[in-house]
């Protein structure tokens, strides 16, 4: 293959047949503008002699219209931004790969699921639903978890949320819920929150939203990290095998680190002191080689069992309980590479639930039916072109041949004189591929009946049974947290009528919870009571998630004169088990122990905050301003203790935390007279919260 032929092949999506094929494809688009000997040019290629001063008529004269370099520079800058997404505007994406654990050939012909060990390159984008691009990461919000698989058969987009259910049962309400949740159209306030009248008016007026709002108000609505967040593509799809047999399927992403959350107070504070908290977290993890990992699970229902359950499997406001329909783990996603340019890759990435490969097909799920149209149509508008998949991040690695032509941002140079089908001039190419040779074919589901706007089944009218199931499944701590979150959000609602109606509404889920809310938001107790559902699902509660110390972040509060051996041993133990650490003191530089050991300082008390750490290790020591140093340490201790987080205490800092009959010091680990301090503190870090603390 000569050089020109090689370039042509790569431009069409040259197939290397292994997991780094996407990265290899992207390299042809890399451009480096800096370096020894590099000279500035404009986009047409001529060298620029002055990029600092505009061309004027005399030293103090006006700008000349003939200064085309200024015009091109400024006009290009004026067009740098594209419209942000209507929803999921705030996001961040990374690359990785997906490895199949075992063959799923018996249920799907999808190539990337055919054999164990097969790896597929991916691009994954995490996002928030409500806020603008400039909003905060830690808002109480619906989060996206979208993964683009660059398979050998073409792209497959898997679009998930951090909840298994959706807020609506029919795509007709996409616009309505988005308008209701967004800022006031007159004031554009509030940003990135549902703590306002319009949203809660929508909820009580559209009762199918009850189940997802329960998830939203729970700890699930405030993930500690994207690395510790589950994901569910809330729609019901079909797997189709090589024999044309159909199996209903829902997917689930399970984080290897478990599912963990921020407290509401933490999330609110972090949103102000570090609005980029989640993206910093995943960047740090990838740069440290602690690659985020998620296992992909599937729930499968045979075609003949579609009507076997007490819920409609096509209703996206209902989950498939894992105790009834088990999750089968079939592969692992590893995120291991950051983008090279945020705008070119993340901002221009496009995800569409209708981007599927042979072996994955649609059902009559009413939300999926609408989504299969809406997403691509939205990006045609936002990206301004029909050539979405010519943008490198979206470009398939498989060969592409089609008769689409022209439009904005056309990069591909099609040299065919024939661009239609059927034809004789080009032997009717590009030719169709029959299904048995890999062509996509839809499942021939039988359809019948009258044209109607009726709901698919009576169970679509059951709004509260699974919301009650969710409540029943929570631990006592989770129930208290959820109730407090309702109090917070409904406390911002100005209309007393809306507050009262919400209390009546949520009594359908749990009367006692609703009475507590009523007492907190100044309205009457509800007249009704909850539905009589006793079922629960242990899989729902975060109390049952795995807990690890690995990649938990510890803030080390330290001054001069610490015990060198003791602190070295503790830090070495934490480092050995993959705990992330930041060393915090009164100023940058180094601190020294009594035996001359030096430790470099990463942060100062001025540049960081207690809520940014999962735990603290209080070493103490001497400082230039002893009073301020002690005050800063006590602020960290008080906030960390309040949020139930572990605290390690060195022998030089024991006086900071005196014992008292008013506190039980649960989760506080002292180094004094404790030869196993490092391991004990590590165990406390792994537990993460001590809910029995007083």
């Amino acid at each position: 293959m000569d050089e020109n032929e090689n370039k042509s092949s790569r431009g069409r999506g040259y197939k290397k047949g292994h997991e780094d094929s996407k990265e290899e494809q992207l390299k042809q688009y890399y451009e480096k503008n800096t370096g020894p000997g590099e000279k500035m040019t404009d986009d047409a290629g001529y060298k620029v002699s002055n990029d600092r001063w505009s061309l004027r008529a005399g030293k103090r004269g006006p700008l000349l219209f003939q200064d085309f370099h200024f015009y091109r520079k400024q006009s290009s800058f004026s067009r740098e931004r594209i419209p942000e997404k209507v929803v999921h505007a705030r996001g961040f994406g990374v690359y990785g790969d997906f490895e199949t654990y075992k063959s799923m050939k018996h249920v799907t012909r999808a190539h990337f699921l055919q054999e164990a060990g097969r790896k597929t390159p991916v691009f994954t984008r995490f996002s928030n639903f409500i806020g603008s691009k400039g909003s905060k990461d830690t808002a109480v919000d619906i989060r996206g978890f979208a993964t683009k698989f660059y398979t050998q058969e073409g792209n497959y987009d898997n679009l998930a949320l951090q909840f298994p259910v959706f807020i609506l049962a029919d795509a007709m309400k996409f616009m309505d819920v988005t308008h209701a949740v967004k800022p006031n159209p007159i004031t554009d306030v509030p940003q990135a929150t549902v703590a306002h009248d319009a949203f809660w008016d929508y909820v009580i007026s559209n009762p199918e939203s009850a189940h997802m709002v329960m998830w939203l108000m729970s700890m699930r609505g405030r993930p500690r990290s994207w690395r510790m967040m589950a994901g569910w593509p809330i729609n019901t799809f079909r797997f189709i095998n090589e024999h044309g047999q159909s199996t209903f399927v829902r997917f689930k992403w399970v984080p290897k680190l478990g599912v963990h959350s921020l407290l509401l107070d933490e999330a609110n504070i972090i949103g102000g002191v570090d609005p980029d908290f989640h993206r910093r977290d995943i960047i740090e993890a990838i740069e440290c080689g602690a690659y985020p990992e998620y296992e992909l699970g599937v729930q499968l229902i045979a075609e003949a069992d579609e009507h076997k359950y007490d819920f409609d499997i096509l209703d996206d406001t209902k989950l498939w309980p894992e105790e009834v329909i088990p999750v089968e783990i079939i592969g692992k996603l590893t995120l291991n590479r950051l983008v090279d340019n945020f705008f070119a890759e993340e901002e221009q990435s496009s995800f569409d639930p209708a981007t599927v490969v042979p072996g994955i097909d649609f059902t009559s799920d009413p939300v999926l039916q609408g989504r299969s149209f809406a997403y691509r149509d939205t990006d045609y508008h936002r990206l301004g072109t029909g050539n979405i998949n010519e943008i490198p991040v979206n470009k398939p690695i498989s060969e592409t041949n089609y008769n689409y032509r022209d439009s904005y941002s056309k990069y591909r140079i099609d040299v065919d004189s024939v661009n239609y089908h059927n034809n004789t001039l080009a032997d009717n190419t590009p030719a169709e591929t029959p299904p048995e040779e890999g062509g996509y074919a839809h499942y021939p589901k039988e359809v019948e009946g009258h044209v109607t706007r009726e709901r698919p089944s009576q169970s679509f009218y059951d709004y509260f049974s699974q919301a009650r199931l969710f409540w029943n499944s929570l631990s006592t701590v989770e129930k208290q947290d959820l109730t407090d979150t309702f109090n917070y959000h409904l406390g911002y609602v100005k209309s007393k009528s809306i507050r009262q109606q919400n209390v009546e509404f949520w009594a359908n889920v749990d009367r006692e919870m609703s009475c507590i809310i009523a007492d907190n938001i100044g309205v009457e107790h509800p007249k009704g009571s909850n539905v009589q559902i006793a079922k629960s699902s242990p899989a729902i509660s975060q109390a049952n998630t795995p807990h690890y110390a690995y990649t938990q972040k510890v803030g080390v509060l330290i001054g001069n004169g610490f015990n060198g051996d003791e602190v070295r041993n503790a830090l070495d133990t934490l480092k050995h088990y993959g705990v992330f650490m930041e060393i915090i003191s009164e100023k940058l530089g180094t601190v020294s122990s009594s035996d001359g050991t030096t430790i470099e300082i990463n942060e100062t008390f001025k540049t960081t905050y207690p809520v940014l750490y999962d735990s603290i290790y209080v070493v103490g020591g001497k400082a230039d301003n002893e009073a301020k140093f002690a005050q800063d340490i006590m602020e960290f201790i008080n906030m960390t203790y309040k949020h139930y987080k572990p605290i390690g205490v060195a022998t030089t800092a024991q006086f900071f935390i005196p014992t008292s009959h008013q506190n039980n010091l649960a989760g506080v680990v002292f180094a004094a007279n404790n030869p196993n301090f490092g391991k004990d503190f590590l165990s406390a870090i792994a537990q993460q919260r001590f809910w029995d603390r007083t």
Side-chain angles (χ1 to χ4, degrees), residues 251-271:
F251 300 93
K252 179 183 180 181
W253 292 108
V254 183
K256 294 280 283 182
L257 291 176
V259 179
H260 303 285
S261 299
L262 299 169
L263 301 180
L264 180 61
D265 187 49
E266 291 176 302
N268 287 338
I269 297 171
I270 292 171

Side-chain angles (χ1 to χ4, degrees), residues 26 199 567 604:
L26 287 171
F199 176 75
V567 172
T604 70

Side-chain angles (χ1 to χ4, degrees), residues 83-89 129-131 178-179 182 378 381-382:
E84 68 175 35
K85 293 174 182 286
V86 176
V87 292
H88 295 286
F129 180 85
I130 302 172
T178 303
H179 283 180
K182 285 288 189 175
T378 298
H381 165 70
R382 191 179 74 90

Side-chain angles (χ1 to χ4, degrees), residues 22 25 112 120-121 147-158 350 352-358 360 376 388-400 440:
K22 184 61 185 180
Q25 182 198 62
F112 75 103
T120 303
T147 301
K148 185 182 295 293
F149 293 75
Y150 302 102
T151 86
Q152 299 300 314
E153 296 180 296
N155 290 352
Y156 164 52
D157 289 352
N158 181 291
S350 175
D352 174 10
T355 297
V356 293
V357 291
I360 301 176
R376 185 63 172 251
I388 290 172
N389 285 335
E390 290 190 32
I391 299 170
V393 67
N394 302 319
K395 189 178 178 66
I397 62 171
S398 58
E399 182 175 332
T400 55
Y440 191 93

Side-chain angles (χ1 to χ4, degrees), residues 358-379:
I360 301 176
D361 202 352
F362 309 116
T363 65
S364 297
D365 173 337
V367 175
L368 177 59
Q369 291 288 311
R371 292 180 89 199
S372 66
F373 159 78
Y375 280 65
R376 185 63 172 251
D377 185 66
T378 298
D379 277 353

Side-chain angles (χ1 to χ4, degrees), residues 107 175 263 272 330 366 481 494 591 596:
V107 288
M175 183 183 78
L263 301 180
I330 65 171
D481 177 89
K494 303 302 180 187
V591 290

